[in-house]
């Protein structure tokens, strides 16, 4: 599972005139030039603004450093080139013996610096630093929840939005001997002591590292290599349930949910006509996504943290072209972003209604994580006697669903995964 770091929803309240007039904004990185395009006339866009010094060459595998302010204007009218360093995989989670334990999860340290940059600069864009939400999907949701526990005393953000993932999602780094990094070093003739491996690999082009790891993965060669977060007791912990029950989390409100058929695309191999084995797909849905979300919600409730829970059940042919896919892992994203008509043709009127309702709810949460959703009739988790929100089921845009119906799917399981037994 690739780590999608995070998405920031800042609830910026641009008035039309302000969005058009204020395309030159001063930031801690330097002045930036934005733009307004023809498809979103009421939205000022600023793309690819740097918030850290580039972690390249001698700075590779070092903690992030804030971007020094420059005098020349930063062109924020287009995204930069695809960059293996914004730090995923080996560049963001090296698990190398020559690096301090507390500096192994570099991608998560970058995330914190990104949130700090938003806090320091959002007002210049017309936003409110008191209304920042940290938003992620899948591994991005996991990283958002990691953040929730890592910065409990100064979270900066006012709320969390987590699609299909949480800190309890099973995602253990099994390379406890830290051999994967050395294996890569050996391939590039960088074998030696732990410091030499790092020094030598810093001279290898990122493109070469990425190409080797890509080819190695696709060839299914053994040993399997994985560069993912490790327990460092700074950004990632081993005992999230215990920490939650002890109140060691930010207690900021969270909007958390899953899709009804998360596991459909995750069963390999599968029959193209008949789809994957339903029992296998259901097992993955429960063990990997649904039940960890149930446990997370229970833990948050015990810690007196507000949680709004949903289940997405939309089944739209322009998003789920195979009849058996239905509401699969990530299929809710095009609806909440309103991009459902871009890939495989325009959506239906019902799809439009679902999308717009989701956007209204998500925006209400971002504007006021405590009171926004209750004003629209969506109340926080109150135990199994309460109700969650079911989205896109049948011909209903939104409808309540008993929490007991969701949680009953996990009655035959016990909380597990790396964060319960390590």
């Amino acid at each position: 599972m690739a780590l999608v770091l995070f998405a920031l929803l800042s609830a910026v309240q641009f008035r039309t005139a302000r969005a058009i007039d204020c395309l030159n904004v001063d930031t801690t990185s330097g002045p930036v030039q934005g733009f307004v395009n023809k498809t979103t006339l009421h939205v000022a866009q600023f793309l690819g603004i740097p918030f850290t010094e580039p972690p390249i060459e001698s700075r590779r595998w070092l903690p992030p450093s804030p971007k020094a302010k420059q005098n020349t204007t930063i062109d924020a009218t287009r995204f930069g080139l695809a960059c293996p360093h914004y730090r995923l995989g080996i560049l963001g989670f090296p698990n190398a013996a020559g690096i301090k334990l507390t500096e192994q999860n570099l991608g998560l340290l970058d995330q914190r610096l990104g949130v700090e940059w938003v806090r320091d600069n959002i007002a210049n864009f017309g936003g409110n630093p008191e209304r920042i939400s940290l938003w992620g999907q899948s591994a991005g949701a996991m990283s958002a929840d990691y953040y929730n526990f890592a910065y409990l005393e100064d979270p900066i953000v006012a709320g969390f939005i987590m699609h299909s993932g949480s800190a309890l999602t099973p995602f253990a780094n099994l390379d406890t001997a830290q051999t994967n990094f050395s294996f890569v070093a050996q391939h590039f003739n960088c074998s030696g002591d732990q410091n030499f491996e790092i020094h030598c690999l810093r001279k290898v082009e990122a493109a070469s590292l990425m190409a080797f790891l890509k080819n190695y993965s696709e060839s299914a060669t053994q040993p399997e290599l994985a560069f993912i977060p490790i327990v460092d007791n700074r950004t990632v912990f081993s005992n999230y349930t215990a920490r939650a029950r002890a109140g060691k989390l930010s207690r900021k409100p969270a909007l958390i949910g899953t899709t009804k058929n998360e596991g459909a695309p995750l069963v390999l191999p599968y029959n193209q006509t008949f789809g994957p084995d339903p029992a296998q797909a259901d097992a993955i849905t429960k063990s990997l996504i649904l039940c960890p979300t149930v446990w997370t919600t229970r833990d948050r409730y015990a810690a007196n943290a507000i949680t709004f829970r949903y289940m997405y059940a939309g089944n739209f042919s322009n998003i789920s072209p195979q009849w058996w896919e239905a509401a699969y892992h990530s299929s809710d994203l095009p609806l909440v972003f309103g991009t459902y008509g871009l890939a495989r043709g325009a959506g239906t009127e019902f799809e439009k209604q679902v999308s717009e309702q989701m956007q209204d709810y998500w925006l209400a949460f971002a504007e006021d994580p405590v009171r926004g959703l209750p004003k629209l009739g969506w109340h926080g988790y109150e135990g199994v006697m309460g109700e969650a929100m079911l989205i896109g089921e049948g011909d209903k845009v939104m409808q309540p669903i008993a929490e007991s119906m969701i949680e009953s799917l996990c009655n035959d399981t016990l909380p597990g995964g790396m964060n319960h037994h390590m």
Side-chain angles (χ1 to χ4, degrees), residues 203-404:
K203 298 178 181 180
V204 176
E205 291 289 336
S208 297
L209 282 172
M210 296 300 99
F212 165 67
L213 291 172
K214 178 177 182 294
N215 293 333
Y216 189 91
S217 175
E218 292 177 348
S219 66
T221 307
Q222 294 296 319
E224 183 178 351
L225 301 179
F227 296 95
I228 58 177
I230 65 170
V231 172
D232 62 355
N233 293 315
R234 177 186 182 184
T235 60
V236 178
F237 300 93
S238 63
N239 55 343
Y240 283 108
T241 288
R243 296 184 75 83
R245 298 302 173 100
K248 295 182 178 180
L249 73 168
S250 75
R251 288 197 176 94
K252 295 298 182 180
L255 172 57
I256 301 176
T258 64
T259 67
K260 196 172 182 179
N261 198 23
E262 299 273 5
L266 305 179
V267 177
L268 297 174
Y270 62 86
N271 184 288
Q272 185 67 37
T273 301
F274 299 103
D277 175 43
Q280 285 185 279
D282 288 346
I284 290 177
T285 294
K286 289 173 59 176
S287 64
L288 192 62
I289 307 294
L290 176 62
C291 295
T293 301
V294 166
W295 305 326
T296 292
T297 304
R298 290 176 180 173
D299 289 348
R300 290 179 54 83
Y301 184 64
N304 199 29
I306 299 172
T307 306
F308 301 94
R309 191 158 71 179
Y310 72 89
M311 177 174 282
Y312 175 81
N315 186 4
F316 304 106
S317 59
N318 65 330
I319 295 175
S320 309
Q322 301 293 336
W323 66 268
W324 46 264
E325 289 176 314
Y328 64 88
H329 186 65
S330 80
S331 63
D332 51 340
L333 292 182
L335 276 295
V336 78
F337 282 109
T339 57
Y340 55 88
L342 297 182
R344 301 185 183 92
T348 64
E349 177 58 29
F350 178 64
E351 191 172 7
K352 178 175 182 290
Q353 293 172 14
V354 173
S355 175
E356 291 179 349
Q357 186 69 80
M358 291 182 74
Q359 291 176 331
D360 287 344
Y361 278 130
W362 266 240
L363 181 58
F365 177 86
E367 290 181 332
D368 187 342
V370 175
R371 294 171 291 272
L373 289 177
K375 288 179 180 178
L376 299 179
W378 184 350
H379 298 284
Y381 179 80
E382 299 174 345
V384 294
M385 301 305 294
E387 293 180 329
M389 193 65 72
L390 181 61
I391 304 173
E393 174 80 1
D395 61 353
K396 300 288 188 181
V397 174
M398 297 275 185
Q399 60 184 305
I401 179 175
E403 294 281 10
S404 58

Side-chain angles (χ1 to χ4, degrees), residues 41-307:
L41 295 176
H42 302 306
V43 178
Q45 301 186 46
F46 299 83
L47 309 178
I49 303 175
F51 64 92
T52 72
E53 290 298 324
I56 59 176
E57 299 172 349
S58 63
R59 289 207 55 81
R60 182 183 287 175
W61 295 310
L62 290 184
S65 179
K67 177 70 176 176
K69 188 168 186 176
Q70 63 184 63
N71 295 323
T72 56
T73 298
I74 297 170
D75 180 6
T77 63
R78 60 180 61 86
F79 286 114
L81 298 175
C83 181
H85 290 286
Y86 280 129
R87 287 206 279 192
L88 305 178
I90 192 173
L91 296 176
F93 303 95
N95 192 20
I99 296 176
K100 294 180 182 177
L101 176 63
T102 56
E103 297 178 356
Q104 295 280 0
N105 295 331
L106 297 165
L108 298 179
L109 298 179
D110 290 349
Q111 175 177 282
R112 173 64 180 190
L113 193 59
V115 174
E116 292 175 351
W117 190 96
V118 172
R119 174 199 62 198
D120 296 340
N121 292 280
I122 191 173
N124 292 350
F125 292 89
N128 185 342
E130 301 299 319
R131 296 197 305 188
I132 302 172
S133 291
L134 192 59
W135 183 357
Q137 188 267 343
S138 191
M142 293 167 58
S143 75
D145 206 15
Y146 291 158
Y147 182 102
N148 174 37
F149 286 87
Y151 304 101
L152 65 160
E153 295 181 355
D154 180 27
I156 298 176
V157 303
F160 298 91
I161 301 176
M162 297 185 285
H163 289 230
S164 304
S166 75
L168 295 184
T169 302
F171 199 58
N173 192 320
L174 302 179
D175 182 24
T176 56
Q178 299 179 311
T179 58
N180 287 352
F181 189 88
S182 295
F183 185 90
V184 175
Q186 181 181 30
H187 173 80
F188 287 98
N189 298 317
C190 288
S191 295
D193 64 35
Q194 58 191 32
N195 293 320
F196 177 78
E197 287 182 346
I198 294 171
H199 175 75
C200 181
L201 280 181
R202 279 175 174 155
K203 298 178 181 180
V204 176
E205 291 289 336
S208 297
L209 282 172
M210 296 300 99
F212 165 67
L213 291 172
K214 178 177 182 294
N215 293 333
Y216 189 91
S217 175
E218 292 177 348
S219 66
T221 307
Q222 294 296 319
E224 183 178 351
L225 301 179
F227 296 95
I228 58 177
I230 65 170
V231 172
D232 62 355
N233 293 315
R234 177 186 182 184
T235 60
V236 178
F237 300 93
S238 63
N239 55 343
Y240 283 108
T241 288
R243 296 184 75 83
R245 298 302 173 100
K248 295 182 178 180
L249 73 168
S250 75
R251 288 197 176 94
K252 295 298 182 180
L255 172 57
I256 301 176
T258 64
T259 67
K260 196 172 182 179
N261 198 23
E262 299 273 5
L266 305 179
V267 177
L268 297 174
Y270 62 86
N271 184 288
Q272 185 67 37
T273 301
F274 299 103
D277 175 43
Q280 285 185 279
D282 288 346
I284 290 177
T285 294
K286 289 173 59 176
S287 64
L288 192 62
I289 307 294
L290 176 62
C291 295
T293 301
V294 166
W295 305 326
T296 292
T297 304
R298 290 176 180 173
D299 289 348
R300 290 179 54 83
Y301 184 64
N304 199 29
I306 299 172
T307 306

